[in-house]
Amino acid sequence: MNDARRYCALPSPFAMKRGGALHGARVAYETWGTLNAARDNAVLILTGLSPSAHVASSADDPSPGWWEAMLGPGKAIDSDRWFVICVNSLGSDKGSTCPASIDPATGQPYRLTFPELALEDVANAAHEVVRQLGIERLACLIGCSMGGMSALAYMLLHPGSVRAHISVDTAPQAQPFAIAIRSLQREAIRLDPDWRGGQYDIHAKEGGTYPDMGMSIARKLGVITYRSAMEWNGRFARIRLDPEQREEQPFGVEFQVESYLQGHAERFVRTFDPNSYLYLSRASDWFDVAEYGGGSVREGLKRIHIERAMVIGVSTDILFPLEQQEQIADGLRDAGAAVEFVALDSPQGHDAFLVDIANYSPAIGGFLQRL
Amino acid sequence: MNDARRYCALPSPFAMKRGGALHGARVAYETWGTLNAARDNAVLILTGLSPSAHVASSADDPSPGWWEAMLGPGKAIDSDRWFVICVNSLGSDKGSTCPASIDPATGQPYRLTFPELALEDVANAAHEVVRQLGIERLACLIGCSMGGMSALAYMLLHPGSVRAHISVDTAPQAQPFAIAIRSLQREAIRLDPDWRGGQYDIHAKEGGTYPDMGMSIARKLGVITYRSAMEWNGRFARIRLDPEQREEQPFGVEFQVESYLQGHAERFVRTFDPNSYLYLSRASDWFDVAEYGGGSVREGLKRIHIERAMVIGVSTDILFPLEQQEQIADGLRDAGAAVEFVALDSPQGHDAFLVDIANYSPAIGGFLQRL
């Protein structure tokens, strides 16, 4: 397992946007397919907050990835044609240097001494992978959710490094509703007494001192806002658990939708480092294309010069509403790109890109084929 | 203060829908205006989860109420014409018997020994107030939010007791999205170590053992889902606090929207009994008109026989979506009532009825005038 994972050492020191620097840092990545001689068939994928770089299975790691249906030979992101790279975000604990990593200066985990993280740092680290692979210009940069914001940062900070872009369920800046949700997720973790100001037992897979409660609440709130009320009406309605499946404690789980959230939380709580979660979550709130346009999102986007783009959004997404995808599409078009805007009515909300493969696959596959 | 508050002793024992009974229970209420000789000018208001019976100021209590702009002489709910009653929900700690009340059998607060609470119990307790005031039939029953569900229960359980009904931002049953939100609010309280299985210091206004963290998260999640993303885009955008207003702790409040939520939470945490919150929240999840219609909401609503109704909903309400108000309107119409359905585009979300007085006042006032 993880035989597909590669590591890229970042320049040391690696200066961070908001100050400070990392020493001896690295990011994890995986690749699929083969880089051609002209080095012009590379596709880079930047991920949402929690996924690893394991987008799809490969000979080196046959376990299914988080976008398994989308990437592989003959699939929408066709690894027979493209050399596909996915970089685990700097600050994420899926192999990249993050707050749970050892600070070489102290021999102890960074925890909250990790420098402030911005999505610009995530973008710069990903760009370093691409550079070290000898690729001057990506054929396509794909960014999903938080990764879509990192992708915008990538194109703003590295002009000329991208030919085409696919923007998936993301935003040019966080709106107050999304900030409120993420702030509350962070608060649930911070207020958990077992967070202990970041000093919990980092590697405890069970037991120990660990902010299970805060992580569970954060994850459930995440799942609630990643899906949609419409989908759940059809999926869960008011179906109750069988009496023997219910919890004994007062006010315990009774409806199927509660049990679904519980399952999501249990799978997440000990598999994502809480401090890393806090850093990446805050980075999402901070990101703002308008910083590059004198306070205007439109002007910021106009500084991105690429040939073509596809911008995909979903009408049921409450975290990254469709108007924000349209804003990206309009801005990139203003900047001179040929832009296809795809507004989907998938019922699954923000997570549609992971679930509604029937719509996302032809859209993304079609765009890549036409490149 | 609270000189306007009256109490109504409930029959003892007062049998609860899901089993058990209360002994020596009471509910608090307030009234405005004068009951006429024919006793046919009474309007009853049933409230959302957290408000008290203090809808508006009066000679006995000049402090502003939670719907101050709507109720009073010459206002939409005109106390010169109507005798208006508002009952604090059974199970709420604003004067009615609730989990924080003393159980006469033990001399100790009920806490979690309070019997399971359903909105049908809330409705029956309110009906008892009306009965004891010598009113056989309400001219109008108004229910807002949770109170709208209690109102549906009232009309289902007491046929012939209501002439006209105003349904405000409510639902005939909880959908899974609303259940998920409320379940998470309850979980935040339950998982707070200071909840102590309901054994916190009930009356501590500061200090003591009290689930501040859980109540704060629950309230913030409430406020997030009571408002709308659209409103917040205009109101908060990405405005940051001045540096001196920011919290010192890591990941502390930085954006105005976070500070707004913090203010709401601070005002709420110690002013609403956490166990009572849990009981009322769960009662909202349980309520289902379909129970009265052999599994069908439509058939359940068809059992409500009133002359006229106005059903008001808001397109930006994510907790009680407009389709659910339409369902109520259709069902009451099927049952033979003359129904006016008012779909508003107020940007304020579920809370619009408290804020968008410019739209709610003429709608409700007009309906009442035409009675």
Side-chain angles (χ1 to χ4, degrees), chain B residues 34-43 81-83 133-140 163-164 371:
Chain B
T34 308
L35 186 62
N36 63 16
R39 296 178 178 274
D40 65 359
N41 71 329
V43 171
R81 175 176 175 200
W82 305 107
F83 175 62
L133 288 169
I135 298 157
E136 208 162 293
R137 199 169 179 222
L138 293 168
C140 188
R163 259 188 76 205
L371 285 186

Side-chain angles (χ1 to χ4, degrees), chain B residues 235-271:
Chain B
R235 186 165 169 187
F236 301 116
R238 290 180 53 80
I239 299 171
R240 285 170 160 87
L241 296 176
D242 295 332
E244 66 270 20
Q245 294 174 299
R246 296 190 193 172
E247 295 173 327
E248 283 302 309
Q249 73 247 46
F251 302 97
V253 165
E254 173 177 347
F255 290 93
Q256 270 197 359
V257 66
E258 296 177 281
S259 166
Y260 164 81
L261 291 174
Q262 187 64 29
H264 268 285
E266 284 168 8
R267 287 189 296 277
F268 186 74
V269 163
R270 296 269 178 149
T271 61

Side-chain angles (χ1 to χ4, degrees), chain A residues 13-347:
Chain A
F14 182 79
M16 305 286 275
K17 180 194 177 194
R18 295 174 63 100
L22 292 171
H23 296 264
R26 66 179 194 182
V27 283
Y29 68 98
E30 291 191 29
T31 67
W32 297 259
T34 309
L35 186 62
N36 63 15
R39 298 177 178 273
D40 66 0
N41 70 329
V43 171
L44 172 64
I45 299 173
L46 298 179
T47 80
L49 193 155
S50 56
S52 72
H54 191 56
V55 182
S57 57
S58 61
D60 289 336
D61 181 354
S63 67
W66 58 264
W67 226 8
E68 183 70 24
M70 290 292 288
L71 168 59
K75 294 186 183 170
I77 307 172
D78 187 352
S79 54
D80 284 342
R81 176 176 174 199
W82 305 107
F83 175 62
V84 183
I85 312 155
C86 181
V87 179
N88 180 236
S89 302
L90 183 67
S92 160
D93 71 345
K94 306 291 175 239
S96 297
T97 299
C98 69
S101 305
I102 300 297
D103 176 357
T106 65
Q108 298 294 319
Y110 285 103
R111 302 182 189 268
L112 304 195
T113 68
F114 197 81
E116 290 185 347
L117 179 73
L119 294 185
E120 283 84 347
D121 306 315
V122 172
N124 283 336
H127 182 259
E128 186 60 27
V129 176
V130 173
R131 198 191 63 80
Q132 290 190 28
L133 288 168
I135 298 157
E136 207 161 295
R137 198 170 179 222
L138 293 168
C140 189
L141 171 59
I142 303 176
C144 308
S145 187
M146 186 191 87
M149 298 197 284
S150 305
L152 292 172
Y154 188 107
M155 295 184 289
L156 284 162
L157 296 172
H158 303 283
S161 66
V162 174
R163 259 190 74 207
H165 172 49
I166 303 177
S167 169
V168 181
D169 299 9
T170 191
Q173 62 177 192
Q175 288 183 341
F177 181 82
I179 292 174
I181 293 285
R182 282 193 289 258
S183 172
L184 192 52
Q185 291 174 307
R186 294 194 296 273
E187 183 168 350
I189 296 169
R190 291 193 294 124
L191 292 184
D192 187 327
D194 288 338
W195 179 57
R196 294 179 59 209
Q199 303 292 317
Y200 53 87
D201 295 337
I202 286 182
H203 298 295
K205 284 301 158 206
E206 54 186 303
T209 300
Y210 194 96
D212 294 289
M213 173 186 72
M215 287 295 282
S216 175
I217 291 173
R219 183 57 171 174
K220 288 185 178 184
L221 184 51
V223 173
I224 290 173
T225 53
Y226 297 157
R227 312 298 290 211
S228 88
M230 190 206 295
E231 183 205 23
W232 286 3
N233 287 341
R235 186 164 170 188
F236 301 116
R238 290 180 52 81
I239 299 170
R240 285 170 160 88
L241 296 175
D242 295 333
E244 66 270 17
Q245 293 174 298
R246 296 192 193 170
E247 295 173 326
E248 284 301 309
Q249 74 247 45
F251 303 97
V253 165
E254 173 177 346
F255 290 93
Q256 270 197 0
V257 67
E258 296 177 280
S259 165
Y260 164 81
L261 291 174
Q262 187 64 29
H264 268 283
E266 283 168 8
R267 288 190 295 277
F268 186 74
V269 163
R270 295 271 179 146
T271 61
F272 203 94
D273 175 56
N275 288 337
S276 301
Y277 187 91
L278 293 173
Y279 272 83
L280 286 163
S281 166
R282 185 177 54 179
S284 298
D285 285 357
W286 278 338
F287 181 70
D288 188 357
V289 165
E291 283 179 21
Y292 299 86
S296 153
V297 166
R298 175 69 65 110
E299 292 303 315
L301 290 167
K302 276 172 73 175
R303 295 184 52 182
I304 296 175
H305 297 292
I306 55 178
E307 293 172 16
R308 305 183 56 164
M310 167 169 276
V311 180
I312 315 180
V314 173
S315 58
T316 55
D317 190 338
I318 59 174
L319 213 49
F320 296 84
L322 198 55
E323 308 88 76
Q324 291 201 288
Q325 339 285 333
E326 202 163 5
Q327 217 181 354
I328 295 173
D330 290 347
L332 295 178
R333 199 177 283 125
D334 269 6
V339 178
E340 300 173 47
F341 178 54
V342 181
L344 296 173
D345 281 324
S346 319

Side-chain angles (χ1 to χ4, degrees), chain B residues 33-340:
Chain B
T34 308
L35 186 62
N36 63 16
R39 296 178 178 274
D40 65 359
N41 71 329
V43 171
L44 172 65
I45 299 173
L46 297 178
T47 80
L49 194 155
S50 56
S52 71
H54 191 57
V55 182
S57 58
S58 61
D60 289 337
D61 182 354
S63 67
W66 57 265
W67 226 8
E68 183 70 25
M70 291 291 287
L71 168 59
K75 295 186 183 170
I77 307 172
D78 187 351
S79 53
D80 283 341
R81 175 176 175 200
W82 305 107
F83 175 62
V84 183
I85 312 155
C86 181
V87 178
N88 179 237
S89 301
L90 182 67
S92 160
D93 71 346
K94 306 290 175 241
S96 298
T97 299
C98 69
S101 304
I102 300 297
D103 178 356
T106 65
Q108 298 295 317
Y110 284 103
R111 302 182 189 269
L112 304 195
T113 69
F114 197 81
E116 289 185 349
L117 179 74
L119 294 185
E120 283 84 347
D121 305 316
V122 172
N124 284 335
H127 182 259
E128 186 59 27
V129 176
V130 174
R131 197 190 65 78
Q132 291 190 27
L133 288 169
I135 298 157
E136 208 162 293
R137 199 169 179 222
L138 293 168
C140 188
L141 172 59
I142 303 176
C144 308
S145 188
M146 186 192 87
M149 300 198 282
S150 305
L152 293 172
Y154 189 107
M155 295 185 288
L156 284 162
L157 297 172
H158 302 283
S161 66
V162 175
R163 259 188 76 205
H165 172 48
I166 302 177
S167 169
V168 181
D169 298 10
T170 191
Q173 62 178 192
Q175 287 183 341
F177 180 82
I179 293 174
I181 294 286
R182 283 193 287 257
S183 172
L184 192 51
Q185 291 174 307
R186 293 193 296 272
E187 184 168 351
I189 297 168
R190 292 194 292 123
L191 291 184
D192 187 326
D194 288 336
W195 180 57
R196 295 180 60 211
Q199 302 291 318
Y200 52 88
D201 296 336
I202 285 182
H203 298 294
K205 285 300 158 206
E206 54 186 302
T209 301
Y210 194 96
D212 294 288
M213 171 186 73
M215 286 295 281
S216 175
I217 291 174
R219 182 58 173 174
K220 289 185 177 183
L221 184 50
V223 174
I224 290 172
T225 53
Y226 297 156
R227 311 299 291 211
S228 89
M230 189 205 296
E231 182 206 22
W232 286 3
N233 288 341
R235 186 165 169 187
F236 301 116
R238 290 180 53 80
I239 299 171
R240 285 170 160 87
L241 296 176
D242 295 332
E244 66 270 20
Q245 294 174 299
R246 296 190 193 172
E247 295 173 327
E248 283 302 309
Q249 73 247 46
F251 302 97
V253 165
E254 173 177 347
F255 290 93
Q256 270 197 359
V257 66
E258 296 177 281
S259 166
Y260 164 81
L261 291 174
Q262 187 64 29
H264 268 285
E266 284 168 8
R267 287 189 296 277
F268 186 74
V269 163
R270 296 269 178 149
T271 61
F272 203 95
D273 174 56
N275 288 337
S276 301
Y277 187 92
L278 293 172
Y279 273 82
L280 286 163
S281 165
R282 184 176 56 179
S284 298
D285 286 357
W286 278 339
F287 182 69
D288 189 356
V289 166
E291 282 179 20
Y292 299 87
S296 154
V297 166
R298 175 68 66 111
E299 292 302 316
L301 290 167
K302 275 172 71 174
R303 294 185 52 183
I304 295 175
H305 297 294
I306 54 176
E307 293 172 16
R308 305 182 57 163
M310 166 169 276
V311 180
I312 314 181
V314 173
S315 60
T316 54
D317 190 339
I318 59 174
L319 213 49
F320 295 84
L322 198 55
E323 309 87 77
Q324 291 200 288
Q325 338 284 334
E326 202 162 6
Q327 220 181 351
I328 295 173
D330 291 346
L332 295 178
R333 200 176 282 126
D334 269 8
V339 178
E340 300 173 46

